Amino acid sequence: MATITIKNSYLDILDAFGSANVLLEDAIRKYLVDKCVERIRKSKRKISELEKKYSCDYAEFISKISNAEGSKVVEKISLHWEGDMTEWEYWENELKEWKTRLEDILMQL
C-alpha cells in the first residue's frame, strides 16, 4: 500500500467529518470513476464518428477491407482509410481498457 502526505490541517478538518482514511478513499474512488467515465465517453464519441463516416462498426470495417470489393468501397469514402483504421483500433482498445478499469474500481466497493 502506498503512503501519501496530507497537511495536518486538512486531516484535522477531515476528522471532523469522520474517518479521514475512509473519506479520502471515497474521494479518490469518486475521482477515478469520474475520470474513467470521461475516457469512456471520449472513446465512444471517437468510435461513433468513425462508424458514421464508414456506415459500419469496427468489425464490419475490418471485414470490408479484407476483400478487394470492400476495399474499393472504403477507398471511395476516404483515401486515408488506413489511418482511420489505426485510429479506430486505438479507440476500440481504449474503450475496452477504461471499461475494465471502471469495472475493477466498482467491484472493490
Side-chain angles (χ1 to χ4, degrees):
M1 181 171 284
T3 303
I4 58 173
T5 304
I6 299 172
K7 292 181 181 180
N8 285 331
S9 60
Y10 292 173
L11 285 174
D12 292 341
I13 295 169
L14 282 169
D15 282 335
F17 295 110
S19 169
N21 285 339
V22 171
L23 292 170
L24 288 169
E25 190 168 328
D26 288 347
I28 291 168
R29 183 181 302 112
K30 182 185 179 327
Y31 176 82
L32 292 174
V33 166
D34 290 348
K35 288 299 184 180
C36 286
V37 168
E38 187 179 296
R39 296 296 290 265
I40 289 168
R41 285 183 178 149
K42 181 176 182 178
S43 298
K44 284 184 173 184
R45 187 176 66 251
K46 296 292 190 174
I47 290 168
S48 179
E49 290 170 7
L50 290 161
E51 287 175 341
K52 199 176 283 188
K53 181 176 183 176
Y54 291 98
S55 301
C56 61
D57 65 19
Y58 182 68
E60 292 171 302
F61 179 81
I62 294 301
S63 179
K64 281 182 184 180
I65 62 169
S66 297
N67 65 63
E69 186 177 315
S71 290
K72 288 178 185 176
V73 171
V74 168
E75 285 177 354
K76 286 181 183 177
I77 295 169
S78 175
L79 294 175
H80 305 287
W81 65 268
E82 290 171 320
D84 287 343
M85 178 185 66
T86 302
E87 181 181 357
W88 205 338
E89 180 180 21
Y90 171 83
W91 289 115
E92 290 286 339
N93 289 332
E94 277 286 293
L95 179 60
K96 288 177 195 169
E97 180 180 337
W98 288 104
K99 281 183 172 182
T100 299
R101 288 179 176 182
L102 178 59
E103 185 178 309
D104 289 346
I105 293 166
L106 295 176
M107 294 301 290
Q108 294 177 28
L109 292 178

